[in-house]
Amino acid sequence: MIIVGELINASRKAIGEAIKAQDLGYIQKVAKEEFEAGSNYIDVNAGIFVGKEPEYLSWLVKTVQEAVDCPCCIDSPDPKAIEAALSVHKGVAMINSISLEKERYDELIPIVAGTDLKVVALCMSDEGMPETMNDRLRIADKLINGLVQNNVPLDNIYVDPLVQPISTNSTYAIEFINSVDAIMTRFKGVHTMCGLSNISYGLPERKFMNHVFAIMAIGKGLDGLIINPLDKMMMASLITAETLAGRDDFCVKYLKAYRSKQFEF
């Protein structure tokens, strides 16, 4: 699994206040915790700061990478903010995200075209949020082909089929899971990525539902998640699910996690 740590997001009150105060110590503490917990990328988001997002996003990238040897997932639909953050980023970043919404697509394609950047391709279009597997496949097909035609390698594309709350439609979870299966089968070489928390929106025991949903999606091929890596039970569940899904030869990763006490909460 590719794990993107989601905690450095300005929409979280403590993070927003730390960004505004330029509290380097707090942001670096969170980045270190996420990295040590197993994050492959640290998500950075300064979206609440209208007019200052490029400045704050660049500051976040520099602050995080001074603390940990880890690439960032640059989380913004604003091409100016992304370009500013990329100008100070070390190594290969992930861009979160491009979609089939025309304005967003047209502005972000020139930034990612012909680069080594990892790209989250969100299954969203000007027609709105997709509800069925077929809706998602149509958008994924156009996004993947558009990116490939602009010299983005398949291995750098992470399709996000878009998680929606099951509290509003009882088919949303299974349509998402079937979409993961179809995308991974039909578009060999691409990856799938998502954030989990929307699935349980408005329901009790959200963490438990998120855990089960992640395991079901991994069974269908999901290989990337934007999550809180400090959730030890979630991380242990992911390791176990990957082993059961046949992605852990001779259970090496599972046994390594056991020996490092990752199954103790």
Side-chain angles (χ1 to χ4, degrees):
M1 295 293 295
I2 299 296
I3 302 297
V4 177
E6 69 179 4
L7 297 180
I8 302 180
N9 190 309
S11 64
R12 301 178 67 235
K13 185 178 179 182
I15 295 294
E17 290 174 352
I19 294 171
K20 190 173 182 179
Q22 303 283 274
D23 186 345
L24 182 144
Y26 182 74
I27 296 296
Q28 291 190 335
K29 174 179 176 291
V30 176
K32 287 176 183 176
E33 289 173 344
E34 291 194 287
F35 181 64
E36 290 168 2
S39 293
N40 305 105
Y41 292 85
I42 305 295
D43 192 82
V44 288
N45 178 297
I48 68 169
F49 297 103
V50 178
K52 290 190 174 182
E53 188 181 0
E55 173 191 341
Y56 283 152
L57 200 56
S58 299
W59 179 80
L60 280 175
V61 168
K62 288 189 286 186
T63 299
V64 166
Q65 292 199 303
E66 283 173 5
V68 294
D69 183 17
C70 185
C72 292
C73 177
I74 299 173
D75 187 357
S76 173
D78 182 350
K80 291 181 180 178
I82 290 173
E83 286 182 312
L86 285 173
S87 71
V88 299
H89 188 276
K90 300 173 184 176
V92 179
M94 177 179 285
I95 303 301
N96 184 15
S97 58
I98 194 169
S99 73
L100 207 60
E101 296 160 292
K102 182 172 173 33
E103 183 178 352
R104 188 170 180 174
Y105 182 87
D106 289 346
E107 290 180 338
L108 289 175
I109 275 290
I111 295 174
V112 302
T115 70
D116 293 327
L117 294 169
K118 310 292 185 180
V119 184
V120 177
L122 180 66
C123 287
M124 175 84 84
S125 72
D126 289 321
E127 297 176 5
M129 295 184 181
E131 295 196 355
T132 67
M133 179 186 73
N134 287 332
D135 291 340
R136 290 174 168 88
L137 285 178
R138 280 193 294 271
I139 297 172
D141 182 61
K142 291 178 181 178
L143 278 172
I144 292 166
N145 280 300
L147 288 166
V148 169
Q149 287 168 15
N150 281 278
N151 299 312
V152 177
L154 282 172
D155 188 51
N156 289 356
I157 300 172
Y158 289 77
V159 179
D160 182 344
L162 191 64
V163 175
Q164 296 182 71
I166 196 166
S167 58
T168 62
N169 187 317
S170 61
T171 68
Y172 278 165
I174 197 65
E175 290 289 347
F176 176 91
I177 289 168
N178 288 340
S179 298
V180 169
D181 187 19
I183 289 165
M184 297 297 277
T185 300
R186 186 173 302 186
F187 305 104
K188 296 293 186 183
V190 304
H191 302 277
T192 42
M193 167 81 70
C194 74
L196 286 174
S197 58
N198 270 354
I199 194 65
S200 60
Y201 180 79
L203 294 172
E205 299 295 343
R206 295 187 64 186
K207 186 179 288 188
F208 183 74
M209 178 172 282
N210 293 346
H211 286 189
V212 176
F213 184 59
I215 292 166
M216 291 175 68
I218 289 168
K220 292 294 187 178
L222 185 77
D223 60 358
L225 277 170
I226 303 168
I227 57 170
N228 173 8
L230 306 188
D231 181 342
K232 292 183 178 180
M233 183 169 286
M234 172 65 85
M235 295 296 283
S237 296
L238 299 184
I239 291 166
T240 306
E242 282 209 287
T243 299
L244 293 171
R247 301 187 206 164
D248 183 11
D249 290 344
F250 304 107
C251 302
V252 170
K253 294 176 186 176
Y254 184 87
L255 292 171
K256 182 180 178 181
Y258 169 76
R259 294 187 188 106
S260 61
K261 303 186 184 303
Q262 287 180 255
F263 299 127
E264 295 180 10
F265 312 118

